[in-house]
Amino acid sequence: MKTIDRHDAARAMTAPHDDRWQRPSWRRQVQRAAMGWFADNARRLPWRGTRDRYRVWLSEIMLQQTQVVTVIPYFERFLERFPTVADLAAADEQTVMQLWEGLGYYRRARQLHAAAKQVVDRHDGVFPRSYAEVLALPGVGRYTAGAILSIADGQRLPIVEANTQRLYSRLIASTSPPQERAANALLWQFAEAILPPSDAGTFNQAAMELGALVCTPKTPACLTCPLRPNCAAVQLGLETTIPGRVKKIQYEQRTEFALLVRHPETEAYLVHRVPAGQRWAGLWDFPRFGPPEVESVEGAAASTERQFDVSVAIGAKAKTIRHGVTRYRITLEAFHAEAEQAFADTEDQRWLSARQLKTLPLSVTGRKLADYLKTKRKT
């Protein structure tokens, strides 16, 4: 288990906070109150109540930066299709990506698949119990490794993620933004110290659940919180100002262009597999381009001709889709286009009908364009 080294410990003590948490009696009170509340208020979730490390791992990867209500159907579909880690490892990437479609942050799906293969190749298909071995899996960081092994095996491992970060910051009145190095080191030190001698997984789940349901970002329900008697932020009147302000993202507006290039002889459209290193790598997409290389639909047509070696004639506008990706707010302008000749299908470039597109993993906007073509065909 990784613990905070002496340098991190020294750094943690420089972060302003209330130090009553260092008293064992205070920590015992918090442990009892949190676990008692969890026993009565825990949500029924399909990954709860299991000691299966594969299932806990799958849920934790899916829950990264994604709401619980969104994850539930994906988790259930994944388990139905891949009931064991060996089943997941044996699947082809396209099948994995298709099941992940719409969940976002697609790098998680590729790393999940790679990690499953590693479990099969290096651990004979048995999800490891060693912290170091779990941490070595693709896509697994300190928080995820601690969550898996504490929940599935009861190992005394701390976790700090969005919900516990907020809860713990308020409990100890840490007034620095939790992303700052000293504050982050302090929270990890606290997360380790607050764990009970046994059943650490239940406590970790209780802390996450309290952060999700009670100790919420803007309007924490302090009056009904079981930890209120021990919360330094409440006692100091800081519950609405802690955690410290996170730097606001400055979103950049941009316009991108997609071409729905139709085969010259059939009702098939040009799609390609997005290469590694690009947004939505591993998914399939229509020709799509944006700034700084492309600033107009004419530029998108020229780029399509260069990239796919096919001459196209631009047609009418098909659809406008507005969406967000990381720090961008994107207006996607999709246009019909006609190919003057057609290449033969390859592994990464194909001509497919609107119906056939259903079998490919697409981004959310790619799926909207495919659905548009399917609807248009019927009218």
Side-chain angles (χ1 to χ4, degrees):
M1 165 181 157
K2 177 177 174 21
T3 57
I4 291 183
D5 63 25
R6 59 188 179 86
H7 299 293
D8 282 340
R11 187 180 296 114
M13 290 302 100
T14 67
H17 67 284
D18 186 294
D19 66 358
R20 71 189 72 185
W21 63 271
Q22 297 187 48
R23 299 199 299 264
S25 59
W26 185 95
R27 295 197 298 270
R28 287 193 295 270
Q29 290 170 11
V30 170
Q31 291 160 6
R32 286 194 297 267
M35 294 171 77
W37 176 89
F38 186 68
D40 295 332
N41 296 278
R43 288 172 290 182
R44 287 183 173 272
L45 301 173
W47 49 83
R48 287 229 168 112
T50 180
R51 296 285 183 173
D52 184 338
R53 290 187 294 280
Y54 168 61
R55 294 185 176 214
V56 176
W57 165 62
L58 179 60
S59 70
E60 288 298 331
I61 297 298
M62 287 185 167
L63 285 164
Q64 292 171 4
Q65 298 177 291
T66 308
Q67 293 182 341
V68 166
V69 67
T70 302
V71 167
I72 290 174
Y74 284 91
F75 178 82
E76 292 174 337
R77 283 196 294 268
F78 254 75
L79 276 185
E80 183 177 355
R81 188 68 174 270
F82 311 122
T84 69
V85 68
D87 294 318
L88 176 57
D92 63 86
E93 184 178 279
Q94 181 168 307
T95 300
V96 175
M97 297 296 282
Q98 188 173 15
L99 280 175
W100 195 275
E101 184 182 308
L103 197 55
Y105 301 99
Y106 291 92
R107 187 164 179 255
R108 293 180 297 170
R110 294 189 294 275
Q111 290 179 327
L112 186 81
H113 194 210
K117 292 181 177 180
Q118 188 168 308
V119 169
V120 170
D121 293 342
R122 299 184 186 179
H123 306 289
D124 297 322
V126 178
F127 201 93
R129 294 186 69 240
S130 158
Y131 179 81
E133 290 174 334
V134 174
L135 195 62
L137 295 174
V140 174
R142 185 181 179 187
Y143 152 69
T144 304
I148 295 167
L149 294 176
S150 67
I151 294 170
D153 287 302
Q155 295 187 38
R156 197 172 183 276
L157 291 165
I159 62 170
V160 175
E161 43 71 70
N163 289 315
T164 52
Q165 176 179 273
R166 183 172 57 254
L167 175 69
Y168 294 166
S169 293
R170 286 170 173 160
L171 276 175
I172 63 175
S174 176
T175 54
S176 300
Q179 292 76 19
E180 291 184 1
R181 197 170 181 180
N184 184 260
L186 172 64
L187 292 175
W188 276 103
Q189 187 176 21
F190 174 78
E192 186 174 335
I194 196 62
L195 289 175
S198 62
D199 210 5
T202 299
F203 179 83
N204 279 337
Q205 290 180 87
M208 288 190 286
E209 194 81 332
L210 276 166
L213 302 182
V214 179
C215 196
T216 51
K218 294 182 179 179
T219 53
C222 298
L223 292 177
T224 60
C225 180
L227 306 187
R228 178 182 175 86
N230 300 94
C231 183
V234 167
Q235 293 166 17
L236 296 172
L238 299 174
E239 64 272 20
T240 59
T241 58
I242 293 178
R245 292 185 179 274
V246 178
K247 185 177 180 181
K248 190 174 181 179
I249 298 175
Q250 297 297 316
Y251 291 107
E252 179 180 333
Q253 303 291 329
R254 60 184 280 159
T255 300
E256 296 182 355
F257 301 90
L259 294 187
L260 308 178
V261 182
R262 192 171 67 174
H263 190 282
E265 300 173 357
T266 70
E267 287 292 323
Y269 292 85
L270 170 59
V271 291
H272 70 108
R273 194 196 309 267
V274 181
Q278 295 187 17
R279 185 202 308 162
W280 302 317
L283 300 182
W284 288 75
D285 199 11
F286 300 93
R288 181 193 304 239
F289 304 93
E293 294 81 9
V294 171
E295 301 283 354
S296 67
V297 66
E298 291 78 14
S303 292
T304 298
E305 293 181 349
R306 286 194 299 269
Q307 181 171 328
F308 301 101
D309 193 24
V310 56
S311 296
V312 299
I314 303 169
K317 181 183 286 189
K319 192 174 181 65
T320 298
I321 301 174
R322 292 179 175 82
H323 65 113
V325 178
T326 60
R327 63 187 179 89
Y328 298 108
R329 289 296 176 262
I330 299 171
T331 299
L332 177 64
E333 302 286 7
F335 285 79
H336 290 287
E338 296 286 338
E340 296 180 5
Q341 80 283 342
F343 55 78
D345 283 0
T346 68
E347 184 179 354
D348 296 318
Q349 294 179 195
R350 299 178 189 172
W351 297 97
L352 295 178
S353 68
R355 179 179 57 81
Q356 290 171 319
L357 288 170
K358 186 176 181 180
T359 66
L360 290 181
L362 304 173
S363 67
V364 171
T365 51
R367 181 59 63 197
K368 288 181 178 179
L369 293 176
D371 290 343
Y372 162 80
L373 291 175
K374 187 176 179 181
T375 303
K376 179 177 179 293
R377 185 173 178 271
K378 293 179 179 179
T379 58

